[in-house]
Amino acid sequence: MQNLEKILEHNHIKPTAMRLLVLQFLLNKKVAISLTDVENHFDQSDRTTLYRTLNTFVEKGISHKIDDGTGITKYALCEENCHCEIDTDLHLHFHCTKCNETVCITEYKIPPIHLPKDYIAENVNLVVKGICEKCNNK
Amino acid sequence: MQNLEKILEHNHIKPTAMRLLVLQFLLNKKVAISLTDVENHFDQSDRTTLYRTLNTFVEKGISHKIDDGTGITKYALCEENCHCEIDTDLHLHFHCTKCNETVCITEYKIPPIHLPKDYIAENVNLVVKGICEKCNNK
DNA sequence: CAAATAATGCACTTCCGTTGCATAGGGTTT
DNA sequence: AAACCCTATGCAACGGAAGTGCATTATTTG
């Protein structure tokens, strides 16, 4: 998968071994993952490195941070056309209370939010909790 | 303010001195407050007691928990007609990145959220970040 | 090759939420 | 009033997660 290297280089991230592994992990997982998730997957690696790797990904714009209300920061790769820094493009996140997984729902956009006068919105975070499609069909 | 006692008793909470003070603090503050906020306000009081007091208020339904994405749990008194346990009634929260305050925007309800097939929504959390009316007019 | 720059690993800190347990207070029963 | 019970309170400590400082290793560049 030299593809991975291209992704990193394209976003001005030096493709180190660790970063490639983390990127692959993120690609395989379709759900948002936490630092601890990554840590558990790469047994002999250091948490700080993973922490900084994930942060680098966010800074460079290939993934975004998710606050799903569990108190644990999650990360997910951005889609091709993701402009997660721009508020109009923000998608919603769904947190399943059964399997405890958080997924990005990109098909449906956040409807326009009305705010009282003089409030300026810079950013919208919408998390829906409930039962996900997988758990519902079990 | 024997009013305060009535509020507590009406919600089956024994009106202790501490609880009355915390309730009054919540009433005065129009913004959502954190445990640390309360702790700082009541200098000589114990963190655990305040923690449990706030939780009691939430359990008994006179206030609700807010996750505003800062990673710090906030609390705010429910409005008269607040049914915060029912998802259709959820209001949105606004977090000002300048003054760092979080307020409940009760005038505007969360628009209906569309979800993919087989997803069941139980709960919606919507936090808008930006500049609040106060900071905008400064 | 040497120097500079960046990434990594280790240790440690801080902050917040939470729990266990012992004590104190208020109300009730004898 | 004394004994009792239940609840609230206060203290101590734990645990998880985010974050930082610094030394070390790797990687690029002159």
Side-chain angles (χ1 to χ4, degrees):
Chain A
M1 276 253 178
Q2 73 291 15
N3 224 351
L4 295 172
E5 288 195 36
K6 293 251 174 74
I7 297 177
L8 290 183
E9 276 164 4
H10 185 260
N11 288 277
H12 314 99
I13 305 172
K14 208 184 287 179
T16 66
M18 201 67 250
R19 286 171 177 172
L20 289 168
L21 286 170
V22 174
L23 178 58
Q24 186 157 49
F25 182 61
L26 277 167
L27 273 169
N28 288 342
K29 288 278 185 182
K30 274 155 203 89
V31 300
I33 55 153
S34 69
L35 173 57
T36 308
D37 290 336
V38 191
E39 202 187 348
N40 292 337
H41 189 254
F42 300 106
D43 238 20
Q44 72 271 34
S45 184
D46 180 64
R47 204 174 63 251
T48 312
T49 304
L50 298 173
Y51 170 72
R52 286 196 255 242
T53 299
L54 290 172
N55 272 350
T56 303
F57 285 3
V58 172
E59 276 167 29
K60 301 295 185 177
I62 68 172
S63 74
H64 58 266
K65 261 188 190 170
I66 302 166
D67 168 29
D68 64 3
T70 58
I72 295 157
T73 307
K74 304 278 172 68
Y75 303 84
L77 287 181
C78 297
E79 306 248 307
E80 279 297 315
N81 53 350
C82 177
H83 304 291
C84 50
E85 63 297 340
I86 304 166
D87 37 342
T88 52
D89 190 76
L90 281 175
H91 55 271
L92 63 97
H93 295 115
F94 187 92
H95 177 76
C96 178
T97 51
K98 204 166 176 186
C99 65
N100 220 30
E101 286 188 345
T102 301
V103 291
C104 303
I105 308 279
T106 48
E107 307 97 290
Y108 298 91
K109 296 299 172 192
I110 299 180
I113 308 297
H114 296 286
L115 287 174
K117 193 171 168 295
D118 291 339
Y119 279 80
I120 303 170
E122 289 171 347
N123 187 281
V124 178
N125 185 31
L126 177 53
V127 179
V128 181
K129 291 191 185 179
I131 307 295
C132 75
E133 164 263 336
K134 252 190 299 173
C135 289
N136 196 22
N137 286 328
K138 259 178 209 158
Chain B
M1 277 251 178
Q2 73 291 15
N3 224 348
L4 295 171
E5 289 195 36
K6 293 251 174 73
I7 298 178
L8 291 183
E9 275 164 5
H10 185 260
N11 288 277
H12 314 101
I13 305 172
K14 206 186 287 179
T16 66
M18 201 68 249
R19 288 171 175 172
L20 289 167
L21 286 169
V22 174
L23 178 58
Q24 185 157 49
F25 182 61
L26 278 167
L27 274 169
N28 288 342
K29 288 277 183 181
K30 274 153 203 91
V31 299
I33 55 152
S34 68
L35 172 57
T36 308
D37 290 335
V38 191
E39 203 186 349
N40 291 338
H41 188 254
F42 299 106
D43 237 20
Q44 72 272 32
S45 183
D46 180 65
R47 187 180 168 72
T48 313
T49 305
L50 298 172
Y51 169 74
R52 288 198 253 243
T53 300
L54 290 172
N55 272 350
T56 303
F57 285 3
V58 172
E59 276 167 28
K60 301 294 185 177
I62 68 172
S63 74
H64 59 265
K65 263 188 188 169
I66 301 165
D67 167 28
D68 63 3
T70 58
I72 295 156
T73 308
K74 303 279 172 68
Y75 303 84
L77 287 182
C78 295
E79 306 247 309
E80 280 297 313
N81 51 351
C82 178
H83 304 289
C84 49
E85 62 296 342
I86 305 165
D87 37 342
T88 52
D89 190 76
L90 281 174
H91 53 271
L92 64 98
H93 295 113
F94 187 93
H95 177 75
C96 179
T97 52
K98 204 166 174 185
C99 65
N100 221 31
E101 285 187 345
T102 301
V103 291
C104 303
I105 309 278
T106 48
E107 308 96 291
Y108 298 92
K109 296 298 171 191
I110 298 180
I113 309 296
H114 295 287
L115 286 175
K117 193 171 167 297
D118 290 338
Y119 279 81
I120 302 170
E122 289 172 347
N123 187 282
V124 178
N125 185 31
L126 177 55
V127 180
V128 181
K129 291 192 184 179
I131 308 295
C132 75
E133 164 263 335
K134 253 191 298 174
C135 289
N136 196 21
N137 286 327
K138 259 177 208 160

